[in-house]
Each structure stands twice: as structure tokens, then as C-alpha cells.
Amino acid sequence: MSKPTNPPCGGPRPGAGRPPGEPTKVIRLPLRLVPAVQALASAPPGVRMPHPAASHLALPMFGHKVRAGFPSPADDYVEAWLDLNEHLVTHKDATFFVQATGDSMTGAGIQEGNLLVVDRALEARHRDIVIAVVDGEMTVKRLDKRRGRIRLLAENPAYAPIEFQDGQELTVWGVVTSVIQRFKR
Amino acid sequence: MTFALVDGNNFYVSCERVFNPRLEGRPMVVLSNNDGCVVARSAEVKALDVKMGMPWYQLKDLAARHNILALSSNYPLYADMSNRMMGVLGSYSPEQEIYSIDECFLRLDGFAADGLAAMGQRIRRQVRQWVGIPVCVGIAATKTLAKLANHCAKKNLAGADGVCNFGQIRADELTALFDRIQVNEVWGVGRRLTGTLAGMGIATVRALRDADPALIRREASVVLERTVRELRGVSCLALEDVAPNKQQIMSSRSFGEYVYALADLEQAVSTYCARAAESLRRQRSLANAVQVSIRTNPFSERQPQYQRGITVPLTQATSDTMRLTRAALLGLKRIYRPGFAYQKAGVMLMDLHSEDQVQGVLFAAAAPARPALMDVIDRANARWGGGTLKLASEGVKKPWQMKREWVTPSYTTRWDELPRVS
């Protein structure tokens, strides 16, 4: 019995075998993690890569530089950003903005072009500034309810009060809670 | 269990009237995109027997005779008013299902049965005052019955002042009421089912309620069997509080005028694609394929007809407007044939999945995602109006753009279009 001889074409093949240098290990990964792992591998040592599916996280901002030794005494007082909506809008779903035109309410500080914040959730009371519907038009006036008599007053002597007769119904569209006047853009 | 179904009366018309009180009492309609068909009718117009979906041009004579006003649809306004209405309604129950732009279900368990009608009145008053929209309220033990109770409230068949609580109606009275209502008023019973049921001798709500569930299941479907049980007061349908993400996103429009050239179609397709991609990113999904379709006007019999769609698969799921648009335009080039008067194009993003389930690509380098760029585009368009930032392929003049001749201002969503009050 003769031993099988190796084929003559044998011998070391270039590139075969374990690569020289650092030892390696084969691992199995879900395909979706491949980019993250590659990024991690190519990052300089010590750099932490964010998880690819990381979601946004808002953190409070501290308004001082880090200094060794003394923590800022203000750190205990980190507060929320002041939001004008919160200041001006009480009933979000019932609040509308309208633009004032004309000069009938200048005495109340409402100028042409001002933005009015209107809250429909409020019941209109005597002396409130309201948006009312008169003859199908929306108008801003001061509501005057005295001795069972309802009137809409302008805040400008050039305009006569709007009187409501018996049986004539006043429709209040909403109550004006603020006026916003910009001086500069 | 107790459910309420609250829905806005003539919702689009009511939204318009909030900002134009003068329109109160005037017969009016709101028209679909391109001012084509009636999509909302005021009570005055319903009384003139104008049907939903009627083309406006067929109504011109009637409109002239009765001084009917037609407005183009103002969806930014309706969407904002809907959000406000739903916000108010949501305060009445921890469980709310927003079923459509103008209606929602509420769970009202745990309230005394005799107080529910009063609560319905409070709901009505509050929505009317806060938002300006008149609503009707139907209250019953199941969703299907609540829908029907709402119908009764609206048509004034039962209940009072726009509120109908089936829980307060005696059993024999309810049976008599159901005897008077046609079966097609039942939620989920459409035209075809009505035909099937007619063949079985079922014409009224009462007949359907009293039908043998097994028979209904055999002759119609399991779904309708469930409807029968719901009509009997057995709750089978729960509230779906979170609207599931859409499985596909469609953006299609008819053109304002016929379009012949590929270049114009490319603009339209780019525009629709950008809009669809924006919705896709809003629901945090990625698309795996883009379908693009074009067609001529099927109602114009004298013109040669052509209609075709094609689906372009993507090598990697994306929500990037540029990559989606490139795919859509590629598809468009394949299906475009010169010599036709095109009336409509559409883009559908398909095979959607959530952003966080990303699959790697096997044979190509992953295309760079540009989430930051897309985010900037979305925010700029939200802040300064749609189309502020867009791809050049959308075009500038857009001769094909939708006709909206009689559209009212975006009173609640744009600073430069606020209502003006003197």
C-alpha cells in the first residue's frame, strides 16, 4: 500500500492563515449593528459612539463654566424657560389671535395693527373688552352692562356707543385678555 | 359600558362661520380640491336636496336661484379647529378615540345614567362657546349604538337639543325607533351590504338587530355579526386610542388644468413626493418603495385615455425627500407617454416601517442619511409655510397647481392671515 502523495501544486498560499500582529476573533452580529460596530472600531480609543437608535434627550442648561473647586451657587436654581404662551394663554383650545384695525379703541391702549389675545372660554362681564358680532361683523369694544342696559362702548370720543334694544341679542365672540404691541421687529 | 359619540355639525361650514358670522343662515357649501365637488353642506343647502359629492358645475343654476355660496376647502383651518374641539372633548374622559376630523368617541363609564344627558348638554355648550362649533352627542352602551344615537340626535329622531342617550329610552320605545330607521344608517353598513341585507329581507335597524347572528355571519361576515351584537347592547368594539401609523402614505391631486409635458408632470410628482415624505417623517417611518401614477380624465370621453402606475423599489428604506423623489421621477419617466392630456398624478410611499428598525444593505454602501437636512426643511416649512424650502424639481410657477379660487384665510395658523377686527 502506497501512501497518497501530496499534489505537486501545494505549498503556502499568500494571504492564508492567521494575520500577523494582533490576535483576532470571528464574531456573529445582526446586520443592523454592523455600521455601529464599524464606527466604534474606527473611532479613536476612548471615544464613545452614540447608539444609532438613541432618542433625543433634553437636559437643563447650566449657565456657567465648569470651574474646579467652587460649584456655582446658582446650580440649585435651574428653572424652566419663561414661556409667553404660558403667560398669555389660559385656555389653549379656546384662545384665538386677531389683529386690531382702526382707532376706535385707542383709549384702551389698542392701536391699529396690534395683536389681540382673545379667550372664548371666559364669560363676558361688565367693563370687559370683548370681540362682539354686530350686524355680522366682528368688532372690538368695551362691554357696558348697567341697570339692565347693554351697550358696546368705543374708547374714542369720535365713536358713538352701540345700543342694544329690548329683544336684540348681543353675540360676544370672545373676551380680549391682552394686547400685544411691537415696537421693533 | 357607556360610550359617547360627539360630532361637529356640518363641520367645515361651521368652521368657516366662526370667522365669518355673516354667513350664519346663508346656504353654503365647501368644495373638494380643485373646487370640484361638494364635500360639506350647510343645513340650508341640505334642505334644498343638494347631495354630498355633487359636482359644483351641476349646481350652478340652483346656486344662482338660492344665492348659495361656495368656498374652496381650507384644510389648515379645519385641522386647527378640529384639534381645538378634540382638546375640549378630551377633558371629559380619560379615554378618547379621535375617529375622524370632526368626530370622536369618549368612554363615559362611572357616571350616573340619569346625569349623562345633562353631561351631553354641557359638552355641547362648552364646544360651542370655546371653539364655536355646534356638535351633537349620542350616548349608548356600545360604539355602534352611540353612532346611531348621534344620528338620532342630529336628525331629531330622539333625545332633545342635540343630545340623545339610548340608556334613558324604554326598551319598547327603542324598538319602535329602530323600526323607523333604515338599516344603511348603521355604522359599517354601506351600499353593498344594504343590498345584501335587502335580499335577506332586512331593511330596518330593528330587523338587523333581531336577525340571527349565525345567519348574518354566514350570509355576510363576522364583522356584521359583531354589529348585530353591538346593536343588542353587547359591546364588542373597544376604543382605539392611538391611531396606528399608516401603512402607506398617498399624496395625489387633480391638476388645475390639463398637463401635457413631462417637465410639468415632474414638478407635480416632485411636489406630491415632498409632501408625502414630510408625513412619512412625521410618523417616524421609512419607505421601502415608491409608487407613482398618472392618468387622463376618465370622464372626458372624447379624449384619448391613458392611465398607468409603477412601483419603484428602493435598495434601502428611507425618508429622505431627495432619494424618494429621485425614485418617483425615475418611475414617472418609465410610464410617461406623450400626447395625452393628464389630469391627475399621485405618489404613494409603500412598505413602511418604523425608523428604528433599519435593515443594512448587503451589496452596496449605505446611502448617507440626511436627517439633519430633512429636519431643517420640515421646520422651515412648518414655520414659514409649506414649500418655503423645497427641491428645485418642484418647479416655481406650477401651472398645474390646484385651483382654490374661493379659499378663506388661514385664520388660526398664519400670522399674516389673522382675522381683522375694527
Side-chain angles (χ1 to χ4, degrees), chain B residues 340-355:
Chain B
F340 292 99
Y342 291 102
Q343 190 227 9
K344 188 173 186 175
V347 170
M348 184 150 72
L349 305 181
M350 302 163 56
D351 193 3
L352 310 186
H353 60 69
S354 161
E355 240 171 31

Side-chain angles (χ1 to χ4, degrees), chain A residues 4-179:
Chain A
T5 49
N6 286 334
C9 50
R13 277 155 295 155
R18 202 169 290 151
E22 208 180 342
T24 61
K25 181 180 186 332
V26 176
I27 55 170
R28 214 173 238 287
L29 280 179
L31 275 179
R32 68 185 164 82
L33 290 183
V34 169
V37 172
Q38 279 170 346
L40 195 60
S42 59
V47 172
R48 289 183 161 197
M49 301 294 289
H51 187 272
S55 60
H56 176 77
L57 170 68
L59 293 171
M61 201 167 76
F62 293 83
H64 69 96
K65 290 181 182 148
V66 179
R67 233 176 315 162
F70 286 104
S72 160
D75 276 0
D76 287 344
Y77 301 92
V78 175
E79 280 182 24
W81 163 262
L82 291 178
D83 183 354
L84 264 182
N85 279 318
E86 203 181 300
H87 182 62
L88 298 175
V89 178
T90 312
H91 305 102
K92 176 174 143 288
D93 293 320
T95 298
F96 295 83
F97 301 128
V98 306
Q99 196 185 2
T101 63
D103 60 357
S104 69
M105 292 299 283
T106 48
I110 298 175
Q111 312 295 334
E112 164 95 34
N114 283 176
L115 187 74
L116 306 180
V117 181
V118 183
D119 191 342
R120 291 180 54 106
L122 301 176
E123 293 295 339
R125 301 218 185 119
H126 173 58
R127 297 298 291 162
D128 278 349
I129 294 176
V130 299
I131 307 292
V133 178
V134 178
D135 298 329
E137 292 291 335
M138 279 159 52
T139 181
V140 54
K141 295 287 175 288
R142 194 180 289 281
L143 180 65
D144 190 277
K145 283 168 139 178
R146 267 182 307 184
R147 289 176 244 108
R149 175 162 164 237
I150 297 176
R151 296 189 304 165
L152 290 174
L153 308 179
E155 295 270 339
N156 180 339
Y159 294 82
I162 301 168
E163 309 263 356
F164 288 82
Q165 313 303 326
D166 278 348
Q168 212 178 357
E169 210 181 321
L170 165 71
T171 308
V172 172
W173 195 90
V175 176
V176 178
T177 55
S178 318
V179 51

Side-chain angles (χ1 to χ4, degrees), chain A residues 93 120, chain B residues 18 81 84-85 88 127-133:
Chain A
D93 293 320
R120 291 180 54 106
Chain B
V18 171
M81 295 297 274
R84 292 165 181 270
M85 180 170 105
V88 172
V127 177
R128 181 74 204 231
Q129 186 186 334
W130 283 40
V131 192
I133 302 288

Side-chain angles (χ1 to χ4, degrees), chain A residues 29-32 34-35 38, chain B residues 314-317 359-367:
Chain A
L29 280 179
L31 275 179
R32 68 185 164 82
V34 169
Q38 279 170 346
Chain B
L314 300 166
T315 47
Q316 192 187 7
Q359 195 151 38
V361 216
L362 200 50
F363 297 112

Side-chain angles (χ1 to χ4, degrees), chain B residues 193 196-197 200 214-225:
Chain B
L193 262 182
T196 310
L197 289 172
M200 299 166 69
L215 180 75
I216 293 292
R217 183 183 196 143
R218 212 166 47 241
E219 301 290 322
S221 66
V222 187
V223 179
L224 194 65
E225 184 201 2

